[in-house]
Amino acid sequence: MKRLPLVAASALLIASFPFSTKARQVSVTYRFSEPRIETSQDGFSLLFFPSTIQAGKAGGPSFPFRGIRILLPPGEAASAISFNRRGWKDIDKEIILRPRQHPLPGIEAEGSESAFLYNETAYSSAEWIHPPSSGPRTHYYRGHPIVTGSFTPAGFLPSANRVGYYSEVEVIVETIPSEKSSEALSLLRSDAPTIKYLEGLIDNPSAEAFYDRISGPILPAGDEYEYLIITKAILENDFIPLKEFYT
């Protein structure tokens, strides 16, 4: 199998996977530099880090969340996830994070003052707000178990209009052998399109090297076919994407 190269990103990625049938940890570290700040005429601001999206409770402050997609060892699934945050940095200016709004407000509320959601209790808090992280959830792509979740490196102190962020967040995924993940190995693929897609999908592409020890999908022996494509020779190339999708 082709070994995936490390790719440059907004986060430094670290992973180590000793082969074992026992439970283990997968560690990926994300690093953040000073965010871009956009302030609108109404005085509210949004923070933007690379590879983040805005999220939060409706009417409460909107935070930049970083989604995670971490490749796990073959036959494993996530059992727990933890976030170690380090390197807190204050942003040296007053900032009021914009209240999170519903993506699609009701028709009756459009154009009215009540359409703008603002939670006064949240914005009068004298304590730092650090939204909870999410995960772990294990999904599969062609036999590869991938854990997903999200977190934000930012924090907000509403009573003082102060905002800061952690420059480093280490995500530690606890993994255990999984029957479902073992069954997924029957769908394992190592062809070039699969590797290319994984390279752009996961946050720890170097972990794909762990699958070098598996030569291919674990399938029953035999010459069985599930699909047959019948077409003219002139249209053969048009069906290659369909063929690759099913194989």
Side-chain angles (χ1 to χ4, degrees), residues 17-36:
F17 308 112
F19 184 77
S20 172
T21 58
K22 299 180 180 180
R24 72 190 76 181
Q25 291 184 343
V26 178
S27 173
V28 179
T29 298
Y30 302 80
R31 288 197 172 104
F32 299 89
S33 56
E34 188 168 342
R36 175 170 56 89

Side-chain angles (χ1 to χ4, degrees), residues 57 63 65 83 85 129-135 150-152:
K57 293 182 179 180
F63 290 86
F65 273 80
F83 299 82
R85 296 168 169 84
I129 299 176
H130 296 280
S133 306
S134 68
S150 64
F151 69 91
T152 177

Side-chain angles (χ1 to χ4, degrees), residues 225-240 242-243 246:
Y225 294 91
E226 295 185 27
Y227 297 95
L228 175 65
I229 300 174
I230 301 176
T231 184
K232 296 180 180 180
I234 194 174
L235 299 176
E236 184 176 350
N237 289 339
D238 295 332
F239 283 90
I240 290 179
L242 179 65
K243 173 186 173 184
Y246 281 106

Side-chain angles (χ1 to χ4, degrees), residues 173-196:
V173 181
E174 303 283 345
T175 74
I176 56 174
S178 163
E179 181 179 352
K180 186 175 182 180
S181 293
S182 296
E183 292 175 352
L185 290 175
S186 65
L187 303 174
L188 189 66
R189 297 292 184 270
S190 58
D191 55 277
T194 297
I195 300 303
K196 182 178 179 180

Side-chain angles (χ1 to χ4, degrees), residues 9-10 41 52 71 80 85 97 119 121 127 161 178 227-228:
S10 61
Q41 293 182 350
T52 61
L71 178 64
R85 296 168 169 84
L97 293 183
N119 186 331
T121 300
E127 297 182 355
N161 298 336
S178 163
Y227 297 95
L228 175 65

Side-chain angles (χ1 to χ4, degrees), residues 47 49 63-64 85 88 97 129-131 152-156 163-166:
L47 303 184
F49 295 96
F63 290 86
R85 296 168 169 84
W88 175 259
L97 293 183
I129 299 176
H130 296 280
T152 177
F156 177 43
V163 172
Y165 65 97
Y166 291 96

Side-chain angles (χ1 to χ4, degrees), residues 9-205:
S10 61
L12 176 65
L13 309 173
I14 304 171
S16 178
F17 308 112
F19 184 77
S20 172
T21 58
K22 299 180 180 180
R24 72 190 76 181
Q25 291 184 343
V26 178
S27 173
V28 179
T29 298
Y30 302 80
R31 288 197 172 104
F32 299 89
S33 56
E34 188 168 342
R36 175 170 56 89
I37 303 172
E38 290 187 1
T39 303
S40 55
Q41 293 182 350
D42 58 12
F44 291 114
S45 300
L46 292 174
L47 303 184
F48 294 93
F49 295 96
S51 303
T52 61
I53 62 172
Q54 296 294 316
K57 293 182 179 180
S62 181
F63 290 86
F65 273 80
R66 175 65 156 88
I68 63 171
R69 297 190 183 107
I70 299 175
L71 178 64
L72 304 181
E76 305 254 332
S79 60
I81 190 170
S82 59
F83 299 82
N84 292 336
R85 296 168 169 84
R86 297 182 287 265
W88 175 259
K89 295 185 177 181
D90 276 305
I91 296 178
D92 190 21
K93 61 183 298 186
E94 288 195 357
I95 295 175
I96 308 175
L97 293 183
R98 170 169 288 281
R100 183 67 177 168
Q101 305 298 303
H102 290 306
L104 295 174
I107 296 177
E108 296 82 2
E110 289 183 355
S112 66
E113 293 183 0
S114 61
F116 186 78
L117 301 177
Y118 181 83
N119 186 331
E120 292 186 6
T121 300
Y123 279 87
S124 61
S125 174
E127 297 182 355
W128 281 92
I129 299 176
H130 296 280
S133 306
S134 68
R137 295 179 295 273
T138 304
H139 304 274
Y140 301 89
Y141 177 70
R142 297 190 173 183
H144 297 79
I146 300 172
V147 63
T148 64
S150 64
F151 69 91
T152 177
F156 177 43
L157 180 58
S159 61
N161 298 336
R162 291 176 58 193
V163 172
Y165 65 97
Y166 291 96
S167 60
E168 182 175 290
V169 179
E170 180 186 19
V171 179
I172 302 175
V173 181
E174 303 283 345
T175 74
I176 56 174
S178 163
E179 181 179 352
K180 186 175 182 180
S181 293
S182 296
E183 292 175 352
L185 290 175
S186 65
L187 303 174
L188 189 66
R189 297 292 184 270
S190 58
D191 55 277
T194 297
I195 300 303
K196 182 178 179 180
Y197 185 80
L198 273 175
E199 182 180 15
L201 177 68
I202 60 178
D203 296 334
N204 55 336

